[in-house]
Amino acid sequence: MTLQSFGKRVYKGRNVIERCFCRLKDFRGVATRYDKLARNFLAAVYLAAIVA
């Protein structure tokens, strides 16, 4: 598929999301899912998002 078939706006939005996930994966606890409880993992994601 080409860029024209997706549309530039959709592609830009997807790129923003991909960069956000890349930044979150810089945090070891988030990337490896170190926390076993969902609430602790979600808190780690929130903290990483605030810092990033």
Side-chain angles (χ1 to χ4, degrees):
M1 300 209 139
T2 63
L3 181 60
Q4 287 100 6
S5 63
F6 283 116
K8 286 185 179 183
R9 189 169 36 164
V10 174
Y11 184 78
K12 284 183 181 181
R14 179 180 168 204
N15 188 16
V16 169
I17 298 299
E18 287 179 1
R19 286 184 290 151
C20 179
F21 275 104
C22 186
R23 279 189 227 121
L24 287 177
K25 287 182 180 181
D26 287 341
F27 294 89
R28 182 174 171 248
V30 175
T32 60
R33 182 79 200 261
Y34 187 74
D35 293 314
K36 299 300 179 200
L37 295 177
R39 64 185 165 114
N40 292 347
F41 178 71
L42 186 60
V45 169
Y46 284 157
L47 287 173
I50 290 171
V51 171

